[in-house]
Amino acid sequence: MAQYQAKPVLDTVDPVWVRVRREAEEVVKSEPELATFIYSTILHHDTLEAAIIYRLSERLDHAALSGELIRQAYKDALEDTPSIGESFRADIVATLDRDPATHRVLEPVLYFKGFHAIQTHRLAHWLWSKGRRDFALYLQSRSSAVFQCDIHPAARVGRGIFLDHATGVVVGETAVIEDDVSILHDVTLGGTGKEAGDRHPKIRYGVMIGAGAKILGNIEVGHCARIAAGSVLLKSVPNNVTVAGVPARVVGRAGCPEPSRTMDQMLYDEI
């Protein structure tokens, strides 16, 4: 297996990692009971990638497959595809930017299961792409049990993804989630039960999907659209609109250029 060397990219300062470490040091001072946890998870590591891999593997550790084997697999993935580390940072920044309950970059790294579920999927997807499908499916199963978030390893997921709470999120095999998408809890990107092959939704960049929304079938949600909470969407929708209802229909404009960032769930002008 490849040996992953933890080293800064181009020997430059990593501002996200610098901030994570600074915030971790502050936790050690303010909560000495957590010092062992903080040192083992953050301060004993040289890079953000190493810290995230360690945290994920500790959460996913199980008698059936040890955390150490998961760590080694993730190191192999990063050696082969270093851009995964860029996705880590984009997802952290997305969480801090969009979640008013997030006050430090340290929080998603340590505590947020939506962030952990997405990073577990990144490893599962890499394994799937390398033909290691049983390992990938194991991680899907384990992630679902630990994080209550079920993403098929074949699903294609971009960067800058924010899964808010993440409980109950289901993403099917042929789904696509582009960059800068925000998804709240209990969302399904599923099939209709009538088709084989390419049968799941395609979520374009900048989309916000409200809590409990169900998007079913091989349909497209246009970029920077908003899907209201509790909606059941069965047909493709254009860019920059808001859809709501059961079944969902267009009820107005998106109201802003980037709904996934503003997280505004109010309805605006009727069409």
Side-chain angles (χ1 to χ4, degrees), residues 92-100 261:
I92 291 170
V93 171
T95 303
L96 185 65
D97 180 49
R98 302 172 203 172
D99 184 2
R261 293 193 62 193

Side-chain angles (χ1 to χ4, degrees), residues 114-270:
F115 177 79
H116 294 161
I118 285 291
Q119 309 326 319
T120 301
H121 171 73
R122 296 194 189 285
L123 173 57
H125 184 72
W126 179 82
L127 289 164
W128 187 270
S129 72
K130 298 299 180 182
R132 301 175 66 182
R133 296 193 170 190
D134 286 294
F135 198 158
L137 290 168
Y138 175 85
L139 287 177
Q140 177 194 3
S141 174
R142 185 70 183 136
S143 180
S144 179
V146 174
F147 307 129
Q148 298 82 51
C149 182
D150 193 343
I151 307 174
H152 193 281
R156 290 179 285 157
V157 178
R159 52 190 286 181
I161 305 301
F162 173 42
L163 293 187
D164 193 11
H165 300 291
T167 301
V169 168
V170 175
V171 179
E173 178 184 15
T174 60
V176 174
I177 303 172
E178 293 187 346
D179 295 348
D180 299 318
V181 169
S182 293
I183 300 175
L184 281 78
H185 54 282
D186 199 29
V187 164
T188 297
L189 305 182
T192 63
K194 298 179 180 179
E195 300 176 2
D198 192 356
R199 61 196 182 281
H200 296 106
K202 310 298 180 280
I203 310 301
R204 302 308 178 194
Y205 70 86
V207 169
M208 187 197 71
I209 306 176
K214 314 301 178 189
I215 305 174
L216 305 178
N218 184 13
I219 60 176
E220 180 170 323
V221 177
H223 66 78
C224 298
R226 299 188 305 165
I227 313 301
S231 298
V232 177
L233 183 62
L234 303 173
K235 297 180 180 179
S236 294
V237 297
N239 309 332
N240 300 103
V241 298
T242 297
V243 300
V246 181
R249 62 181 182 85
V250 175
V251 297
R253 302 293 180 187
C256 58
E258 298 177 282
S260 67
R261 293 193 62 193
T262 62
M263 300 296 289
D264 184 356
Q265 299 185 55
M266 297 296 292
L267 297 180
Y268 290 92
D269 54 307
E270 294 289 330

